[in-house]
Amino acid sequence: MLLLAQGSKVWPRLSRLKPQVLPRTLGGEALGMRARALSGQGLPQGPKLRTRLLITALFGAGLGWAWLAAKAEKEQRRQQQRTEALRQAAVGRGDFSLLDHRGKPRCKADFRGQWVLMYFGFTHCPDICPDELEKLVQVVQQLEADPSLPLVQPIFITVDPERDDVAAMARYVQDFHPRLLGLTGSAEQVAQVSQSYRVYYSAGPKDEDQDYIVDHSIAIYLLSPDGLFTDYYGRSRSAEQIANSVKQHMGTFHSILS
């Protein structure tokens, strides 16, 4: 009875309370959005999506091409500036008169019309000269592998004329490349061509066996078909880097003699 009496008092208050309304985001609207997302409604599909992706890809490709073109143009300008600076250095001016490893007289005019890679060293060199000549040969072989490129003439000039006569040069060059040309001459002739290309060399003291080492500059020289000094490459440059540089010079070469 007590419970019925209390219930009659509480019921009118409960009847006046409004039913609680659930937030829309937790009700049908949220479920509707999920349903549309799962069904794909509201998302770009079909031709529109493919068109947007195509436009994005073309835009990215255009930016990439523009960057590569700007980089190539910058590298070409840098190469031209370097070439002009080297020409103004007046390296390799004048002629030379030497003997090749077959005993035939040679001068710079004999190589006109050819690209030339030239290295100064000596046949008794224990390690550096063989390494640099091997690198030079690798460059020549890489360029030979491209039939669209002209042949490059490799040349080895001694800075030790006392020991490197024609016979010694012939024995030495045959171990590297069939087209490697060895050049030697008198002490005066070697001094003249070395001075022309600004090559330093100095023979050290002789030991008890009369053997000695020649200290000398280490660089590979590139001459254009005009016979002009075009570039040089130190020991830090790899064969691949040198080959790429020679290709660039070939691509931008314009004779100033014709």
Side-chain angles (χ1 to χ4, degrees), residues 47 151 181 194-195 210 227 246:
L151 289 178
L181 195 65
S194 300
Q195 183 177 5
Q210 300 301 302
V246 174

Side-chain angles (χ1 to χ4, degrees), residues 11-27:
W11 178 254
R13 292 197 298 270
L14 292 176
S15 64
R16 290 195 298 268
L17 293 177
K18 295 182 179 180
Q20 184 178 5
V21 179
L22 294 176
R24 297 181 67 189
T25 56
L26 298 179

Side-chain angles (χ1 to χ4, degrees), residues 99-155:
L99 293 176
D100 67 20
H101 64 271
R102 301 182 184 91
K104 181 181 178 179
R106 294 284 189 168
C107 63
K108 189 164 69 173
D110 294 334
F111 308 102
R112 189 72 51 81
Q114 304 178 66
W115 289 93
V116 173
L117 283 172
M118 179 187 300
Y119 179 76
F120 290 79
F122 63 109
T123 64
H124 287 73
C125 181
D127 44 27
I128 295 178
C129 293
D131 290 345
E132 290 299 294
L133 283 175
E134 185 62 36
K135 181 168 67 176
L136 186 153
V137 167
Q138 291 175 9
V139 174
V140 172
Q141 291 172 339
Q142 290 182 29
L143 298 173
E144 286 176 337
D146 188 342
S148 66
L149 299 177
L151 289 178
V152 175
Q153 175 60 57
I155 294 179

Side-chain angles (χ1 to χ4, degrees), residues 7-123:
S8 61
K9 296 178 181 180
V10 173
W11 178 254
R13 292 197 298 270
L14 292 176
S15 64
R16 290 195 298 268
L17 293 177
K18 295 182 179 180
Q20 184 178 5
V21 179
L22 294 176
R24 297 181 67 189
T25 56
L26 298 179
E29 182 177 348
L31 293 176
M33 291 177 63
R34 288 181 188 153
R36 288 197 299 272
L38 292 174
S39 64
Q41 296 180 7
L43 297 176
Q45 290 185 353
K48 291 183 178 180
L49 177 60
R50 288 195 295 269
T51 301
R52 291 181 181 180
L53 291 176
L54 179 60
I55 292 174
T56 302
L58 291 175
F59 182 72
L63 288 178
W65 180 87
W67 180 81
L68 290 175
K71 181 180 179 182
E73 183 179 357
K74 180 180 179 181
E75 177 62 24
Q76 184 176 359
R77 287 198 307 267
R78 187 196 68 80
Q79 190 72 27
Q80 291 174 345
Q81 293 172 353
R82 173 180 168 83
T83 301
E84 184 60 29
L86 291 174
R87 285 178 179 175
Q88 294 177 1
V91 176
R93 297 289 178 87
D95 202 356
F96 60 77
S97 178
L98 298 169
L99 293 176
D100 67 20
H101 64 271
R102 301 182 184 91
K104 181 181 178 179
R106 294 284 189 168
C107 63
K108 189 164 69 173
D110 294 334
F111 308 102
R112 189 72 51 81
Q114 304 178 66
W115 289 93
V116 173
L117 283 172
M118 179 187 300
Y119 179 76
F120 290 79
F122 63 109
T123 64

Side-chain angles (χ1 to χ4, degrees), residues 75-76 78-80 82-83 86 115 117 139 142-143 149 152 220-223 230-234 237-253:
E75 177 62 24
Q76 184 176 359
R78 187 196 68 80
Q79 190 72 27
Q80 291 174 345
R82 173 180 168 83
T83 301
L86 291 174
W115 289 93
L117 283 172
V139 174
Q142 290 182 29
L143 298 173
L149 299 177
V152 175
I220 296 174
Y221 294 81
L222 175 66
L223 307 185
T230 303
D231 211 336
Y232 73 96
Y233 311 102
R237 303 292 291 274
S238 67
E240 184 177 2
Q241 290 174 329
I242 297 174
N244 289 334
S245 175
V246 174
K247 290 178 184 178
Q248 290 179 355
H249 284 296
M250 288 178 172
T252 58
F253 173 71

